[in-house]
Amino acid sequence: MPVWVAASACAAMNALLGKAFCAEQLLMLPDNQKELFVTVSSASCLSSVNAGFAIAHCESNLGLDITRNLEIWTFVTWQESCVHSLDSQECTQDSWLEIVAGQGVGKYEDSGELCISDFAKKLFEINLHPLVPSDSSIKLEIVFPKGVDLALRTSNRAFGVVDGLALIGTQA
């Protein structure tokens, strides 16, 4: 699932930057020189809120995978502290991305933090970070519209993950 989230996030970022929509997003995979084309359904700039928005559908090959055809929404907005700051020190390399767990995305019950794999974080670093201007940072909100209902069919709660599907995955 992280592959489709990363592709959708890249398409949303490109929309925010005013670039033309491309349904096929080229992603590099972590720790591998392999490239992968991932389909994104749509993307657009939402000018009224100055955001990029994109939709993808998880195309897992496993027929029993509950995330198969899962609709994924991503919203990308500029982080105000870096875009409007005169002090570029506020925009460190580590602070270029804030990920927000939107509706249907799993969070750890004890901390409220997004449940995300290292694989997903690396995908964002390799593919999304190069699209973000060096003096800027972004906020990425991820939404799985059916995530709450689908999570009821998983063992997430037993592992302390609530409110939706965890953003995990270790391979493409």
Side-chain angles (χ1 to χ4, degrees):
M1 177 175 31
V3 169
W4 290 275
V5 174
S8 182
C10 289
M13 186 69 216
N14 282 324
L16 182 60
L17 292 169
K19 296 181 180 177
F21 172 67
C22 178
E24 294 292 319
Q25 296 291 311
L26 179 63
L27 296 182
M28 290 294 297
L29 300 180
D31 303 324
N32 192 342
Q33 297 303 317
K34 185 178 177 183
E35 298 175 337
L36 179 68
F37 281 99
V38 180
T39 303
V40 175
S41 303
S42 59
S44 181
C45 182
L46 304 174
S47 57
S48 63
V49 290
N50 198 22
F53 172 68
I55 299 173
H57 292 86
C58 188
E59 298 173 12
S60 65
N61 291 328
L62 304 175
L64 299 176
D65 186 346
I66 67 166
T67 64
R68 186 179 184 136
N69 298 320
L70 173 71
E71 189 169 71
I72 297 165
W73 298 357
T74 55
F75 298 87
V76 175
T77 55
W78 300 113
Q79 285 285 61
E80 294 298 321
S81 62
C82 288
V83 172
H84 299 294
S85 173
L86 296 177
D87 179 9
S88 63
Q89 295 297 337
E90 288 184 37
C91 296
T92 65
Q93 187 163 354
D94 294 337
S95 67
W96 70 274
L97 175 64
E98 176 189 358
I99 304 173
V100 176
Q103 177 69 27
V105 178
K107 297 171 268 206
Y108 290 109
E109 187 172 33
D110 60 348
S111 68
E113 290 183 28
L114 169 69
C115 181
I116 184 171
S117 67
D118 286 338
F119 177 78
K121 291 177 187 176
K122 288 178 185 174
L123 276 172
F124 294 139
E125 179 70 31
I126 294 167
N127 296 286
L128 185 59
H129 191 216
L131 302 176
V132 179
S134 61
D135 61 346
S136 300
S137 68
I138 59 170
K139 177 168 42 172
L140 168 63
E141 181 174 354
I142 303 164
V143 175
F144 301 147
K146 295 182 181 178
V148 173
D149 292 336
L150 289 176
L152 297 175
R153 297 170 45 197
T154 72
S155 56
N156 283 1
R157 184 166 279 291
F159 295 101
V161 178
V162 297
D163 298 334
L165 297 171
L167 185 53
I168 58 174
T170 58
Q171 59 188 347

